[in-house]
Amino acid sequence: MENFEPEIVAFCCHYCAYTAADMAGSKRISYPANVKIIRVPCTGKVDAIHIMKAFEKGADGVYVAGCLEGDCHFKNGNTRASHRVEHVQKILEDLGWEKGRVAMINMSAGMGERFAGTALEFTEKIKALGPSPIKITNTDKHHKTIG
Ligand code: FES
């Protein structure tokens, strides 16, 4: 498991985290390539189904990065996103997964360093948790087919 490189999906709000990622890039602050950014107009647009789909497609961890509290351009999209993340955490727990595979993060557009730091921290956390249980199940199946 030492060489495990997790696949991370980050749903990033256009007004904050996505811009922060850009800023990190222009300041040459690096962050793990494991993180695949999906730009969304507001985190309020991210539904539980989008997060679950990301896991289904092979993500080992997913986070939603939205504007700071009170700063959402659509009033309370980030609060709604945060509730949805909590909902998904419960679903994961019911499935016997670690709820830490999904997280909500808040930041402003100017926080390039925070973006990079969060990306690194989350990647390390998922590395420690190991591959998503879906992958383990699929590998088992694969072995059965071959064996
Ligand atoms: Fe950024 Fe809503 S506009 S989270």
Side-chain angles (χ1 to χ4, degrees), residues 122-139:
F122 193 77
T123 302
E124 290 303 322
K125 185 168 110 182
I126 301 301
K127 239 184 216 179
L129 290 179
S132 122
I134 286 187
K135 283 184 178 163
I136 294 169
T137 311
N138 286 344
T139 310

Side-chain angles (χ1 to χ4, degrees), residues 32-52:
N34 307 62
V35 178
K36 187 175 137 206
I37 295 175
I38 297 181
R39 178 164 63 158
V40 292
C42 168
T43 54
K45 291 274 177 204
V46 182
D47 275 326
I49 189 78
H50 297 126
I51 300 174
M52 295 310 286

Side-chain angles (χ1 to χ4, degrees), residues 12-17 40-45 65-68 71-79 81 104 106-107:
C12 293
C13 163
H14 165 79
Y15 291 99
C16 56
V40 292
C42 168
T43 54
K45 291 274 177 204
C67 298
L68 296 173
D71 276 355
C72 172
H73 292 233
F74 300 91
K75 279 194 183 154
N76 58 359
N78 50 1
T79 318
M104 176 77 200
N106 298 86
M107 68 183 73

Side-chain angles (χ1 to χ4, degrees), residues 49-111:
I49 189 78
H50 297 126
I51 300 174
M52 295 310 286
K53 281 259 175 225
F55 281 118
E56 190 184 289
K57 287 187 178 161
D60 300 293
V62 179
Y63 66 88
V64 180
C67 298
L68 296 173
E69 243 174 82
D71 276 355
C72 172
H73 292 233
F74 300 91
K75 279 194 183 154
N76 58 359
N78 50 1
T79 318
R80 276 186 287 133
S82 162
H83 290 149
R84 286 184 192 140
V85 165
E86 280 170 24
H87 177 61
V88 173
Q89 285 178 333
K90 289 200 184 91
I91 295 174
L92 295 190
E93 274 187 322
D94 285 348
L95 291 169
W97 293 31
E98 304 86 356
K99 69 174 187 177
R101 289 189 185 274
V102 63
M104 176 77 200
I105 290 154
N106 298 86
M107 68 183 73
S108 72
M111 296 179 170

